Amino acid sequence: GRRGKRHSISAYPLYANTLSMKRSLLHAAGILFALPLRWFTSHEALLLAAAAVVFNMIFLPALAPSLYRDGEDKASSGIVFYPIAVLLMFAMLPLHVACAGWAIMALGDAAASLAGRGTLYRVPLPWNPRKTLAGSAAFAVAAFVGGSALWWWISFAPPVWPRMAIAAVAAALVESLPLPIDDNPTVS
């Protein structure tokens, strides 16, 4: 009836796409590299991010080809855009803010992907039926919690809570837009 017209169940089976789940978990796990940055300078963090870009462009395709989708251009993959986004944040922002942005990108995006695909009954967003309300809500919550935690971990000070909430919700909104480009640089 009426309820079926407003809500739809995605054609994707629950976690049938193990590549997507594997990439989401790797996306989130990348934030573990931010934890030691508490003891690094901004310049050292920038060098590490540059090394990650080189690693993901040159070595990762040979070491882990199973992380790439069939026909995916390895040079323009999200696997390359991810460390580029981190590099840009480190180049333009104070270290604690850049790390919070990294957490927003990594944890929010992974949570959105896992929650959006992991719920049996998905409510699609009106402006992008490929994204779900559950995914966007999970993004905002994970981004707020992760961004706040990493801000505190790196700076030894609590974040500005309203700004962190705005950043998390804004990033979730941007992630939900039907953009023709990889969303890693846009949500960070």
Side-chain angles (χ1 to χ4, degrees):
R2 179 179 168 97
R3 186 175 205 141
K5 292 179 184 174
R6 290 189 0 214
H7 307 296
S8 68
I9 296 177
S10 171
Y12 299 110
L14 294 180
Y15 294 119
N17 189 343
T18 56
L19 173 61
S20 182
M21 187 167 68
K22 190 186 310 183
R23 284 173 63 130
S24 293
L25 294 173
L26 182 64
H27 203 61
I31 201 63
L32 295 174
F33 289 103
L35 296 177
L37 295 179
R38 180 181 201 171
W39 298 284
F40 286 78
T41 67
S42 294
H43 293 98
E44 292 165 335
L46 190 62
L47 289 172
L48 290 171
V53 171
V54 171
F55 179 83
N56 284 19
M57 285 182 79
I58 297 172
F59 300 107
L60 196 59
L63 294 172
S66 65
L67 289 175
Y68 295 89
R69 295 178 186 102
D70 289 336
E72 182 177 29
D73 179 18
K74 295 176 179 43
S76 63
S77 165
I79 293 172
V80 173
F81 282 128
Y82 180 102
I84 289 173
V86 173
L87 177 72
L88 291 172
M89 286 187 285
F90 285 165
M92 296 185 294
L93 300 168
L95 187 58
H96 67 287
V97 177
C99 286
W102 184 2
I104 288 171
M105 176 184 74
L107 300 176
D109 202 43
S113 180
L114 294 172
R117 294 177 195 270
T119 33
L120 182 59
Y121 190 69
R122 300 177 212 38
V123 178
L125 296 175
W127 57 90
N128 188 355
R130 296 188 68 218
K131 304 289 183 169
T132 65
L133 183 59
S136 292
F139 185 113
V141 170
F144 178 78
V145 171
S148 299
L150 210 47
W151 178 300
W152 171 83
W153 176 252
I154 300 296
S155 71
F156 300 98
V160 182
W161 301 111
R163 288 184 185 170
M164 188 60 69
I166 290 169
V169 170
L173 179 62
V174 169
E175 194 271 341
S176 75
L177 296 174
L179 301 174
I181 59 171
D182 185 86
D183 65 0
N184 285 329
T186 61
V187 301
S188 53

